[in-house]
Amino acid sequence: MPLFGNSFSPKKTPPRKWASLSNLHLDRSTREIELGLEYGTPTMNLAGQSLKFENGQWVSESGSFLGDRRELQRLRKRNQQLEEENNLLRLKVDILLDMLSETTAESHLMEKELEELKQHSRKKK
C-alpha cells in the first residue's frame, strides 16, 4: 500500500495529428522542393577561367573543349621538357659532386705527401 495514495501511473499520450516535421524521412527531391535546397552546380573562377563541377570533375563553362585540349597538350609537352631538363641538371650536379670529391681526395693526398716530405727533410738535418 502506497504511503501517499495511488502509485504513479502516467497517462497514455494521444496520437499525433500531423506527420513528423523531421526532414529525415523525406527523399532528396521532396526535401529540395519543400526546404529550398536547390543549390545548382558549384562554380568557381580560377585564373580567368570559369569552371563548374559536373559528374565528379571540374569542367570549363566556356565550352571551348578543343581549346582546353590544346592547352592541356601544350602543358604536357612543356612539363615533359622541364622534366628532361631537370634530369639533365641532376646528372650534371652528380658529375660535379663526383669531380669535387675526387679533387678533394687528391688535395688531401698531396697535403699528406707534403707533410711526409717535410718531416723526412727535418730528420736529415
Side-chain angles (χ1 to χ4, degrees):
M1 175 170 190
L3 187 61
F4 297 106
N6 292 342
S7 64
F8 178 76
S9 62
K11 293 182 179 179
K12 211 174 192 185
T13 57
R16 293 184 178 178
K17 295 180 183 177
W18 295 292
S20 172
L21 296 177
S22 170
N23 64 358
L24 298 176
H25 71 281
L26 300 175
D27 63 356
R28 181 180 172 162
S29 60
T30 309
R31 228 181 331 197
E32 287 175 354
I33 293 168
E34 290 186 9
L35 302 176
L37 298 177
E38 182 60 41
Y39 298 119
T41 58
T43 58
M44 73 173 174
N45 190 1
L46 184 64
Q49 178 120 9
S50 183
L51 303 169
K52 62 182 175 181
F53 193 75
E54 286 183 352
N55 299 326
Q57 292 186 347
W58 288 99
V59 180
S60 174
E61 272 191 343
S62 63
S64 62
F65 186 68
L66 293 176
D68 290 342
R69 184 179 290 178
R70 287 187 201 125
E71 179 71 13
L72 183 62
Q73 201 172 28
R74 186 188 67 77
L75 289 174
R76 283 185 180 156
K77 185 177 180 181
R78 180 68 176 143
N79 189 24
Q80 180 67 29
Q81 290 172 346
L82 290 173
E83 285 178 358
E84 289 174 4
E85 183 181 353
N86 192 18
N87 289 337
L88 179 65
L89 291 172
R90 285 182 186 193
L91 180 64
K92 286 182 178 182
V93 166
D94 285 342
I95 290 171
L96 287 173
L97 286 173
D98 288 345
M99 291 171 62
L100 177 64
S101 61
E102 185 179 342
T103 53
T104 303
E106 287 176 358
S107 171
H108 285 299
L109 283 175
M110 288 181 176
E111 286 176 2
K112 190 175 182 181
E113 287 177 11
L114 184 63
E115 286 297 320
E116 289 175 359
L117 287 174
K118 283 182 182 178
Q119 287 179 359
H120 186 65
S121 67
R122 288 182 191 155
K123 288 182 182 177
K124 285 186 177 180
K125 290 184 181 180

